[in-house]
Amino acid sequence: MLIQRPTDIPSSEITPREHYEGRRAFLRNAAGLALATTLPRAFAADRLTGRPGPYSTTETPTPFKNVTSYNNFYEFGTDKADPAANAHRLRTRPWSVVVDGLVQKPRTFAIEDLLRLAPLEERIYRHRCVEGWSMVVPWTGFPLAALLKQVEPLGSARYVEFTTALQRDTMTGVGWGSGLDWPYVEGLRLDEAMNPLALLVFGLYGEVLPNQNGAPVRLIVPWKYGFKSGKSIVRIRLVEQQPQTTWVKANSREYGFYSNVNPEVDHPRWSQAKERRLGELFKRPTQMFNGYGDQVAMLYTGMDLRKYF
Ligand SMILES: Nc1nc2c(c(=O)[nH]1)N[C@H]1C(S)=C(S)[C@@H](COP(=O)(O)O)O[C@H]1N2
Ligand SMILES: [Mo]
């Protein structure tokens, strides 16, 4: 069991796969009960579902197989297949998330407590990587705002900094020569972080988040390029100054702090006008704010977005 059952989630919502798949199919897949204890992790995945939440797209979700085998998680290697092959090493228990900085009530949340801080929702979001590919993913989580409100940000807090896990012994990609400064750090302006679209995510496709997708807890900011959505988060710090993020530190000519999806502002190496949805043959036009303008455009009133990456 990866995530203990929170007391406020009905047991029917967290069910071992054998129950919802149908016992027969489970036994067939498992090739007999005797093998049940040695099953690969995929068979033992735990359900983690949420009530349908707002802002979901009606577009067809990208198949589970693609979502969990084509990943960016550089701590486990730079090839798209590396995270699925290597992230089983990641230790996801015990896990806690420190929430501190410019807040009235700094706190360290054990992952089990964080999970039951707010009702879990399922949100089907578009996810757009700066490399020009995209997918549609049913995430399970709750708004980041619910967590931030708990710790009571001070008036001086203007930004939120997210630090992700650094396990040198399990992460095969963090050696010298990776070119990045570890741990992976990202950030948002406080009002961006409080926007109801910004989601703290614990699962996908109704299951506990696979390690390669950022277990046990990650961020999803659907109107920004994927790299803003840090995986395997261990610290959330409220600060006054704009955080130094990993990608801006690595190459400030190519990456910016805002990184809102914008088909009119090209990355020096990739046009951002179009994208390839995983599983589809032809490219499709990229939408401003990844199609979430109605929810977020007002955050940038008065900013000339052509000047920001
Ligand atoms: N810690 C960490 N978080 C990360 C990354 C990473 O390399 N390390 N890659 C980012 C990038 S570039 C993208 S596109 C998304 C990919 O998420 P996915 O593999 O779940 O699709 O995670 C983001 N979060
Ligand atoms: Mo990305």
Side-chain angles (χ1 to χ4, degrees), residues 66-77 80 83 127-131 133 135 137 139 163-165 171 180 182-186 204 209-214 218-220 224-233 246-247 255 278:
N66 293 339
V67 173
T68 57
S69 63
Y70 186 94
N71 301 101
N72 274 337
F73 198 166
Y74 277 21
E75 288 87 331
F76 293 99
K80 292 289 177 283
H127 176 61
R128 168 66 157 81
C129 176
V130 71
E131 295 160 347
W133 52 268
M135 25 190 213
V137 187
W139 304 107
T163 304
T164 81
M171 295 173 161
L180 291 180
W182 310 104
Y184 190 100
V185 171
E186 260 306 333
L204 59 80
L209 207 53
N211 285 2
Q212 60 268 36
N213 295 94
R218 72 172 303 175
L219 191 68
I220 286 292
K224 293 178 179 278
Y225 294 117
F227 67 85
K228 295 296 292 181
S229 296
K231 294 179 167 181
S232 307
I233 290 173
T246 296
W247 287 105
Y255 302 99
L278 290 194

Side-chain angles (χ1 to χ4, degrees), residues 115-222:
L115 187 64
R116 56 178 172 229
L117 195 80
L120 293 176
E121 298 172 22
E122 179 171 81
R123 304 237 188 136
I124 307 170
Y125 280 166
R126 288 176 291 276
H127 176 61
R128 168 66 157 81
C129 176
V130 71
E131 295 160 347
W133 52 268
S134 66
M135 25 190 213
V136 175
V137 187
W139 304 107
T140 306
F142 57 73
L144 174 64
L147 170 62
L148 296 177
K149 282 174 193 159
Q150 284 266 324
V151 296
E152 299 178 18
L154 298 175
S156 51
R158 292 194 53 224
Y159 294 91
V160 187
E161 178 190 79
F162 305 88
T163 304
T164 81
L166 178 55
Q167 293 177 4
R168 290 196 182 272
D169 60 327
T170 69
M171 295 173 161
T172 41
V174 298
W176 306 116
S178 69
L180 291 180
D181 197 22
W182 310 104
Y184 190 100
V185 171
E186 260 306 333
L188 295 171
R189 228 169 48 195
L190 182 56
D191 58 345
E192 296 179 315
M194 295 295 284
N195 185 277
L197 280 181
L199 207 64
L200 208 54
V201 164
F202 304 88
L204 59 80
Y205 265 101
E207 291 184 5
V208 166
L209 207 53
N211 285 2
Q212 60 268 36
N213 295 94
V217 58
R218 72 172 303 175
L219 191 68
I220 286 292
V221 193

